[in-house]
Amino acid sequence: MSDLQNTPNPNTPIFSPLYQQIKALLLQSLSSGEWNAGDMIPSEVDLAAHFKVSQGTVRKAIDELASENLLVRRQGRGTFVATHQEAQIRFRFLSMQADNGQKFTTSSAVVDVDVILASVGVCAHLGLADSDRVVQITRVLSFNGRAGVLEKIYLPEALFPNVTADKLRAYKGTLYSWFESEFNVRMIRAVEQIRAVNAPESAAEYLNVASNEALLYVERISYTYADKPVEVRHGWYLTHDYFYKNELI
Amino acid sequence: MSDLQNTPNPNTPIFSPLYQQIKALLLQSLSSGEWNAGDMIPSEVDLAAHFKVSQGTVRKAIDELASENLLVRRQGRGTFVATHQEAQIRFRFLSMQADNGQKFTTSSAVVDVDVILASVGVCAHLGLADSDRVVQITRVLSFNGRAGVLEKIYLPEALFPNVTADKLRAYKGTLYSWFESEFNVRMIRAVEQIRAVNAPESAAEYLNVASNEALLYVERISYTYADKPVEVRHGWYLTHDYFYKNELI
DNA sequence: CAGTGGTCTAGACCACTGG
DNA sequence: CAGTGGTCTAGACCACTGC
């Protein structure tokens, strides 16, 4: 149905492969909110008919989106929009592991929620104007009941309206799944800058360590569709009993 | 030619998909050394004829190996065994970037090479016996001429015979490309545990910092084909002007 | 059982590379 | 130009899921 530039006998001068065009169209359906997290998308047969291409071409487009973790294929059931509700994806963005290899419980204590004018740095990373406001969330993550991470999270108020500490505390689940269900914002990828710092006063207090103690300091920028940055997160990590796991593939 | 279990009409009870079997066979040709780093492997048409399957099936096997960075496809030329010589792959395992975003030069100074009995920890990670010996390389990496990383590298002597500081210093290029060309050992993936520590005396000295200064401490285990561990690397990183970059995808 | 994704085939044509 | 990988088709059959 759609105006793909590559009719079976392409005479058009400039074109990208059919499956790329279809991938772009699917991406559009994802980012426009036409399909929501957890939804099943149309079957390969339906999509092939709709786009008037063969099933193999649709398949290649879906394959790529699945390999980018935007879609999830389930044999016999269908293809679904990836969601942060899934266990698989839930811990993709929390990389801490215990020294002893054991499992551990994670809990979160919201310290503060403020709406403020963002610093220049945060503004730049989020692509905001000086006058735009951001929600600042301060929270402490604990592992097995012991404070392990202090985080400061910055979100554009325009995308995340009316955030309050109470609402945040009421939600059971990860922040990213809250963003998804409450604001329809899905995090797709993130980039981190990792450093070691001597604990600043503020962090030392929350983590119950001396103020020159070495901490991991992680600055993360998270992106949604179309590489749009939607979150800046600063974290101070205690790495005595837990470490940050990184896989180079 | 090979005895794939899935002849066109499969009556055999247990089997994995054809393309997986072919992938396994290609993997074998890679790990056995039949194909070396940088070599061109047989064309899709040849492989299809050889395995008596359609080109599409071979293609799917190669696609997966390419997505795992074991093979590199080059349109119009052929498919090649990935090598650490390539710029693309050369920096896949060094994640430091400058705060100002500028490029910078990296240089390496070999401090020491010893053949020793490995500690229990290193033995365990490398799958060695207590009595097996390892090569211990101590070196300092500098960025723009300023010492930035102290590394201690442990290699099984059995796989890396006759390593000397002189040979190491004579080689121009990354350590991984040296391993590849000199010992025919190719690193495929690595896992890291990242922590912040207060600089130990030894590291502080090499990096010219005070001994309680916060440093990144990275423990890396590198693997070759078949998930065989072949290197343990301990690194202390100064992160004042450079940071460790991590991408969550 | 009908509907989904997963595998596989055979063949066509295109785009790119190097000699 | 011949040879390579890249795209696309049409159709077959399999494996899995849920009703």
Side-chain angles (χ1 to χ4, degrees), chain A residues 2-18:
Chain A
S2 332
D3 33 357
L4 304 186
Q5 294 190 3
N6 219 7
T7 39
N9 293 334
N11 280 355
T12 43
I14 300 176
F15 64 98
S16 63
L18 267 180

Side-chain angles (χ1 to χ4, degrees), chain A residues 92 99 192 195 246 249, chain B residues 92 99 192 195 246 249:
Chain A
R92 199 149 55 83
D99 281 358
E192 295 184 332
R195 293 182 173 80
N246 189 26
I249 321 178
Chain B
R92 198 149 55 82
D99 282 359
E192 296 184 331
R195 292 182 173 79
N246 190 25
I249 321 178

